[in-house]
Amino acid sequence: MTATALKEAPVQANSPHHVETVLWVKHWTDRLFSFAITRPDTFRFRSGEFVMIGLPGETKPILRAYSIASPSFAEELEFLSIKVQDGPLTSKLQHIQPGDKVLLGKKPTGTLVIDALKPGKRLYLFGTGTGLAPFLSVARDPEAFSKFEQVIVGHGVREVAELAYRDLFTREIFEDPLVGEEAQKQLVYYPTVTREPFQNQGRFTDLIASGKLFADLGFDQTKFDPENDRVMLCGSMAFIKDMAAVCEAQGLVEGSNAEPGDFVLERAFVG
Ligand code: A2P
């Protein structure tokens, strides 16, 4: 689909989707990009939630669930996406340009929200690949810093180039007018790479089970503390399954919107 086709796509009056305008696009690698769209006045969400994003298709729209990477009060809606060359949506979405139109679902939802966790002291956010997206939202929301003493953002990727938003977590967030001061005192960023040399290497499952993650962070703990630690997980099916097993083995209980717990999880969009 060309950019022109996107602009001219017909819109039904009773559509379950908003039609929003692309504001910017940033390509991180040939497999990863971010983009932002306009936010309708009526669109409300909680930091960490996901929503359907799509493009008009030949017969019906093609939509996929995307975590919103912006915090709940942001003026624009930001997303982090993989590019799959034969993916029904991302093969086209990766070519969007500012000014193009994108469909936005009307019902954001999800469990990677602070409300689904019991109160605690340390908030661990572990994302692999595009699973970082919901934590870009949660960690840019002052609520994370008012409800927790420390916020740890863990991003696991195969290659260094896939560490999207490294500049945000090593520099920009500390200058943010809203959360900068809190972030300086309370935010810890832990990137790790599995298939190239890097300062931190290995999978989160291994880094946590061995206690290396806590040692690297300089924390006085060798495993999760169910009294004080709360965890959010987002990544591939295999990642969240294996990480949930690690959390449970260390005494954490899964939570939900209906019944807050010690950890919550969600699958990152992968297709
Ligand atoms: P690895 O390179 O050892 O597979 P992916 O792109 O496949 O989603 O992987 C993103 C990151 O998540 C990679 O560093 C990958 O490590 C890691 N990863 C993949 N599967 C798991 C898993 N089951 N448990 C822990 N980490 C995983």
Side-chain angles (χ1 to χ4, degrees):
M1 180 177 297
T2 63
T4 317
L6 292 175
K7 282 182 190 121
E8 290 171 359
V11 181
Q12 289 166 354
N14 60 352
S15 161
H17 313 113
H18 298 283
V19 180
E20 297 304 313
T21 306
V22 176
L23 297 170
W24 55 261
V25 183
K26 178 179 168 104
H27 294 272
W28 302 96
T29 68
D30 58 2
R31 291 183 54 213
L32 204 60
F33 72 110
S34 293
F35 61 96
I37 61 172
T38 48
R39 177 178 185 166
D41 292 342
T42 53
F43 188 84
R44 292 188 178 205
F45 69 101
R46 297 178 296 170
S47 293
E49 287 189 320
F50 67 85
V51 69
M52 302 308 284
I53 285 286
L55 291 172
E58 275 172 24
T59 50
K60 57 181 179 146
I62 308 164
L63 292 138
R64 294 289 182 270
Y66 273 85
S67 288
I68 305 168
S70 320
S72 61
F73 49 84
E75 280 177 24
E76 57 186 41
L77 300 174
E78 182 177 346
F79 301 91
L80 173 60
S81 180
I82 199 159
K83 304 176 196 176
V84 182
Q85 294 320 327
D86 56 357
L89 179 61
T90 63
S91 60
K92 299 186 177 81
L93 195 66
Q94 63 182 290
H95 300 298
I96 54 171
Q97 308 270 353
D100 286 346
K101 300 296 181 194
V102 164
L103 304 175
L104 169 72
K106 290 186 175 169
K107 293 200 170 105
T109 183
T111 50
L112 298 179
V113 292
I114 287 177
D115 287 351
L117 291 174
K118 290 181 179 166
K121 289 190 178 159
R122 279 184 177 150
L123 176 61
Y124 288 92
L125 308 170
F126 295 111
T128 53
T130 57
L132 179 69
F135 308 140
L136 293 165
S137 175
V138 173
R140 286 191 277 188
D141 190 327
E143 191 188 1
F145 299 104
S146 63
K147 296 230 166 115
F148 292 89
E149 291 174 11
Q150 264 177 323
V151 178
I152 299 96
V153 176
H155 190 200
V157 294
R158 298 178 187 190
E159 295 167 14
V160 178
E162 294 170 321
L163 286 175
Y165 295 93
R166 200 172 159 193
D167 284 349
L168 173 75
F169 288 119
T170 53
R171 189 169 43 83
E172 289 159 17
I173 196 166
F174 304 119
E175 289 153 23
D176 185 288
L178 208 60
V179 295
E181 231 171 277
E182 286 89 343
Q184 284 175 31
K185 295 186 206 119
Q186 296 167 252
L187 182 85
V188 184
Y189 173 57
Y190 190 98
T192 180
V193 175
T194 45
R195 302 194 190 185
E196 265 183 0
F198 188 64
Q199 67 208 49
N200 305 315
Q201 283 185 279
R203 292 177 160 203
F204 283 121
T205 39
D206 298 332
L207 291 164
I208 292 162
S210 68
K212 186 171 188 308
L213 177 98
F214 307 106
D216 285 350
L217 294 172
F219 290 175
D220 187 17
Q221 62 185 116
T222 53
K223 56 193 187 101
F224 289 128
D225 166 13
E227 281 288 296
N228 298 309
D229 292 342
R230 302 294 171 255
V231 178
M232 292 189 185
L233 308 171
C234 190
S236 65
M237 280 303 267
F239 172 73
I240 55 176
K241 181 172 154 282
D242 292 349
M243 278 292 290
V246 171
C247 290
E248 280 165 358
Q250 299 195 0
L252 304 186
V253 175
E254 188 177 347
S256 66
N257 278 293
E259 199 167 340
D262 307 320
F263 78 95
V264 282
L265 52 84
E266 221 152 69
R267 186 181 175 210
F269 169 64
V270 285

